Amino acid sequence: MNDVNNQQFPILLVSLHEDASADDRALELVKQALSSHNHYVLQTAATNNLLDVIKHEIGIGCVIIHECESVAEAERNRIISRIIQGIRTYNSRIPIFFAASRPILGRLPTEVIKEIHEYINIYEDTARFIAGRIHLAIEHYRRGLLPPYFSALKGYASDSPYYWDCPGHQGGVAYLKHPVGREFINFFGENIMRADIGIATPEMGDWLEHKGPPGESERRAAEIFWRRPHVLRDRRLFAVEPDRRPFAAAARQNCAGGSQLP
């Protein structure tokens, strides 16, 4: 995934006190370093409307909780626990960083430490290094969001390949030779055409032999739907063509009487 898309995953910086300013210079340097990766930072305080911000910004790439020395320890721990609980209500996987200007990790509750991806002492490392750690965590998080086949398809189309295996699949360039075709591309976007690949693309695996991304997708589906009682327990059927008749025939062959498909 390219840095050009990082603005779609903003970083939420939460200060535990509205008047926190002692570390402003150090945090500003980190934000400037993050901009080199094309990240931008949404900054807010741990006020009553923080959970509304978290709910609205569901696409954030990570959360940085900034500790302030002016907040008493008991109050600080209570606020941090509330913030993390609110984040995990909407997202169980997003990386949460804890930033401070002094060693403080040992004084945090165990349930808070378990949820923290990484601790940052903003005066112990350079802004560039800290930004690199945050960027790496966001990239790992983003890669884990997408299902196997879509992730592989997005990566393949982003590499701007030529489709020598399927001459009919040329990324929609034929549409560009007519005004109506250009309007079609302008409306739907180029990606929908670049992602229209044939089944003979080696990088995208094989649906018939259950290899590569298709095989990973099938295994993921089997794991996800395993406990649904109305889905077959021993096999999963993927429809890979617009014609539903082969799929229906396979379903009739493999389903017992009275079975239902989702």
Side-chain angles (χ1 to χ4, degrees), residues 156 162 164-166 197-206 211-214:
Y156 181 75
Y162 284 108
W164 302 112
D165 52 339
C166 295
I197 63 175
I199 62 172
T201 305
E203 293 86 345
M204 294 303 299
D206 193 313
K211 295 180 179 179

Side-chain angles (χ1 to χ4, degrees), residues 106 117 150 172:
H117 175 81
F150 178 42

Side-chain angles (χ1 to χ4, degrees), residues 12 48-60 63 83 86-91:
L12 182 62
N48 292 331
N49 68 339
L50 173 61
L51 296 184
D52 293 332
V53 174
I54 294 172
K55 182 178 180 181
H56 176 71
E57 296 292 343
I58 199 66
I60 56 179
V63 178
I83 293 172
I87 294 170
R88 292 304 182 216
T89 299
Y90 298 104
N91 192 317

Side-chain angles (χ1 to χ4, degrees), residues 89-181:
T89 299
Y90 298 104
N91 192 317
S92 62
R93 300 168 60 187
I94 189 171
I96 300 175
F97 287 79
F98 190 82
S101 57
R102 53 180 177 146
I104 198 175
L105 199 59
R107 297 197 293 271
L108 294 175
T110 304
E111 61 271 16
V112 169
I113 295 176
K114 290 192 300 184
E115 296 293 341
I116 293 176
H117 175 81
E118 197 165 318
Y119 168 77
I120 300 172
N121 188 325
I122 57 177
Y123 291 124
E124 286 294 324
D125 277 306
T126 65
R128 179 176 176 272
F129 180 83
I130 293 173
R133 297 298 302 171
I134 296 171
H135 173 69
L136 179 64
I138 294 175
E139 287 298 292
H140 286 170
Y141 167 65
R142 291 172 60 185
R143 293 191 188 104
L145 285 177
L146 302 182
Y149 193 80
F150 178 42
S151 177
L153 179 62
K154 182 178 179 181
Y156 181 75
S158 298
D159 289 339
S160 303
Y162 284 108
Y163 304 131
W164 302 112
D165 52 339
C166 295
H169 296 261
Q170 291 299 326
V173 293
Y175 286 96
L176 301 178
K177 299 179 180 180
H178 193 278
V180 177

Side-chain angles (χ1 to χ4, degrees), residues 70-84:
S70 59
V71 181
E73 183 172 329
E75 177 68 7
R76 177 200 65 208
N77 292 344
R78 185 189 66 80
I79 295 174
I80 294 173
S81 297
R82 180 174 61 87
I83 293 172
I84 291 179

